[in-house]
Amino acid sequence: MRPARLVATCLALSLTVPAMADEYRLGSQDKLNIRVAEWQTVEGTFRDWSAVNGEYSVGPAGNLSVPFVGELPAAGKTTSEIAAAISVALQRKLALSDKPEASVEMVQFRPFYISGEIQTPGQFPYVPELTVLKAISIAGGIRRNSDFGSQLGKDLVTAKGNFDIYDDQRVRLIVRRARIDADLAGQVSFEAPKEVEGDPRLPTIVADEMQILTSDQKALKLKLQALDDLKGVLQGEIDALQKKIVNQQKQVELAQQQADSIGPLAQKGLIANARLLSSQQSVTDLQGKILDYETAILTAKQSVSKATQDAIDAQNTLSSSLAADRQQVEADLNEAALRVNMQKGLMAQASDPATTAAITNNSEEPTLIYSLVRVTDGKTSEIDAKEDTPVLPGDVIKVKLAPMASQ
């Protein structure tokens, strides 16, 4: 058996993916475990890619960010397709003679959501082989008939309160994203996004974000100004040292001339040798000071270079921080939008005339109808369901009261 094929077989056996994941299509919030190994033909050994191995999450945009690979589209793909794409990308980008073997397994599926006539509507972790009935059990079961009247009123109040909270978060995140984009572009101000234009909360939120934008840019400007001032001081020191060197060189020339004139007299015994030695020592001392000045100039130039690098690092640090904040805002915005839509559904369910009509007759257990809201290829559709209907990660399960038959 060829070594590369042996690696693939070993990894396939050691990292078994649940059966349903073979054809499972990935989506945002799915968590994966990625392992990569390479058979090195020349050395005849295996190499484990520890820098790549680990857990990864599919981001809000449907991409995986993998070292040495970069942004890899993952939404709508299977784990085997992702593994193949990683292997090919690593071989191409790093110009490897042997293609690394990648293995991808599901660690955690994206959650499912449930709303309607159940005890605890909301978001829950997905488990394999989930059905509508199992999901209802996870959410605490069907709401009891005797509780419908009072519970629906509570649900409506709660849903409205939660809607206001999540909608406020959504608006703030949209404005924050605009502020971060302006900060990354070096702009001193930004306009309120059109998607929330007219919202009465907008002036206050924009003012808060403008303060952050002004503060960020002021802090960076002050740091850069301080570094520029330091570079100015150092350059002034360099200029002063260079002038000292020029003066010192003149003194060396004069001292050398004096020593040259004394030399012949000392040879004829007209003056003491001690005077000649003193003159030569003065020349040496003056030359030593020139070396000291040159060393000080080099030190100052190094400090200038460091100040320049510190200025670049300060800008890069801010940019990196803003980029990370931008990514987090996108994730939070995606979650806030889901929560807003869920609360809208709960409000609609609590105020549904069919639900209200059903409450008036408590002599019988109400009939429930189920449906699944599912996103497929970017399109949202609602599917009629039964208790044994399979549920997929990301699905929203709706549990409603069936309309009462006319008496």
Side-chain angles (χ1 to χ4, degrees):
M1 182 178 290
R2 293 177 59 190
R5 187 177 301 171
L6 177 60
V7 176
T9 303
C10 292
L11 288 174
L13 291 173
S14 61
L15 298 173
T16 304
V17 179
M20 66 84 61
D22 290 344
E23 296 302 326
Y24 172 66
R25 301 290 170 174
L26 297 173
S28 176
Q29 299 185 59
D30 280 336
K31 291 185 179 180
L32 308 173
N33 183 39
I34 297 176
R35 290 186 61 83
V36 178
E38 177 193 359
W39 171 257
Q40 296 178 308
T41 305
V42 177
E43 291 83 0
T45 58
F46 287 104
R47 181 173 67 175
D48 192 48
W49 288 56
S50 57
V52 177
N53 296 341
E55 291 189 4
Y56 297 84
S57 296
V58 180
N63 295 330
L64 276 175
S65 181
V66 181
F68 308 114
V69 175
E71 291 292 320
L72 185 68
K77 298 183 181 297
T78 64
T79 53
S80 58
E81 288 172 342
I82 293 297
I86 291 173
S87 296
V88 171
L90 288 174
Q91 184 180 30
R92 287 178 179 175
K93 290 196 174 185
L94 303 179
L96 302 173
S97 57
D98 297 306
K99 184 171 71 174
E101 295 294 337
S103 177
V104 179
E105 68 173 344
M106 294 298 305
V107 174
Q108 180 178 313
F109 297 96
R110 57 187 183 275
F112 72 93
Y113 306 85
I114 186 165
S115 65
E117 301 305 324
I118 53 173
Q119 292 293 344
T120 53
Q123 171 184 311
F124 297 91
Y126 180 84
V127 293
E129 300 181 2
L130 184 69
T131 63
V132 170
L133 184 58
K134 290 180 180 178
I136 291 173
S137 177
I138 291 173
I142 299 296
R143 188 180 299 151
R144 288 177 297 176
N145 192 30
S146 60
D147 296 335
F148 284 163
S150 60
Q151 187 63 42
L152 280 177
K154 294 177 183 178
D155 285 350
L156 184 58
V157 172
T158 302
K160 285 181 177 179
N162 289 338
F163 173 83
D164 290 340
I165 292 172
Y166 297 138
D167 190 56
D168 182 74
Q169 290 178 355
R170 182 185 67 86
V171 174
R172 290 182 181 277
L173 287 167
I174 290 173
V175 176
R176 187 176 304 166
R177 180 177 62 186
R179 185 263 298 171
I180 292 174
D181 289 341
D183 214 346
L184 285 168
Q187 299 173 355
V188 296
S189 64
F190 67 96
E191 296 181 358
K194 292 184 179 180
E195 54 193 304
V196 291
E197 195 173 13
D199 191 293
R201 299 164 291 188
L202 208 53
T204 301
I205 297 174
V206 170
D208 292 341
E209 293 296 331
M210 273 298 301
Q211 287 184 351
I212 297 175
L213 176 64
T214 303
S215 177
D216 282 351
Q217 295 190 346
K218 183 178 180 181
L220 179 62
K221 184 178 179 180
L222 289 174
K223 188 167 187 177
L224 294 178
Q225 184 61 52
L227 291 170
D228 283 340
D229 292 344
L230 176 60
K231 287 162 66 177
V233 171
L234 291 169
Q235 188 58 51
E237 183 180 341
I238 290 172
D239 293 340
L241 289 169
Q242 289 175 336
K243 290 178 180 178
K244 287 183 178 181
I245 288 175
V246 172
N247 292 332
Q248 200 74 6
Q249 287 174 336
K250 290 180 180 179
Q251 294 182 29
V252 168
E253 291 174 358
L254 292 175
Q256 187 63 53
Q257 290 176 1
Q258 183 179 10
D260 292 343
S261 63
I262 292 175
L265 296 176
Q267 290 178 353
K268 294 178 181 180
L270 298 177
I271 59 174
N273 288 331
R275 184 176 176 184
L276 175 60
L277 292 174
S278 176
S279 180
Q280 291 175 339
Q281 184 63 45
S282 296
V283 172
T284 302
D285 292 343
L286 292 170
Q287 289 175 334
K289 286 185 178 181
I290 290 176
L291 290 176
D292 291 340
Y293 293 150
E294 289 176 343
T295 301
I297 287 175
L298 288 175
T299 302
K301 286 182 176 180
Q302 289 176 346
S303 298
V304 170
S305 297
K306 185 178 183 304
T308 302
Q309 186 60 49
D310 287 345
I312 295 172
D313 290 344
Q315 292 173 316
N316 289 341
T317 298
L318 178 60
S319 296
S320 298
S321 177
L322 289 172
D325 290 345
R326 179 68 159 74
Q327 186 175 8
Q328 185 61 49
V329 164
E330 284 290 352
D332 293 343
L333 186 57
N334 184 57
E335 182 177 353
L338 287 173
R339 291 181 180 275
V340 165
N341 290 333
M342 179 181 293
Q343 297 307 318
K344 282 183 179 179
L346 292 174
M347 290 164 59
Q349 178 67 25
S351 57
D352 189 351
T355 303
T356 306
I359 298 171
T360 60
N361 186 358
N362 290 329
S363 59
E364 297 179 359
E365 192 70 21
T367 302
L368 299 173
I369 56 176
Y370 312 106
S371 62
L372 299 177
V373 178
R374 181 173 295 168
V375 178
T376 305
D377 297 330
K379 297 181 179 179
T380 302
S381 59
E382 186 164 347
I383 308 165
D384 292 337
K386 298 180 180 179
E387 290 183 346
D388 59 352
T389 300
V391 178
L392 298 181
D395 281 352
V396 178
I397 306 169
K398 290 185 176 181
V399 183
K400 298 181 180 179
L401 285 171
M404 297 295 294
S406 57
Q407 302 297 325

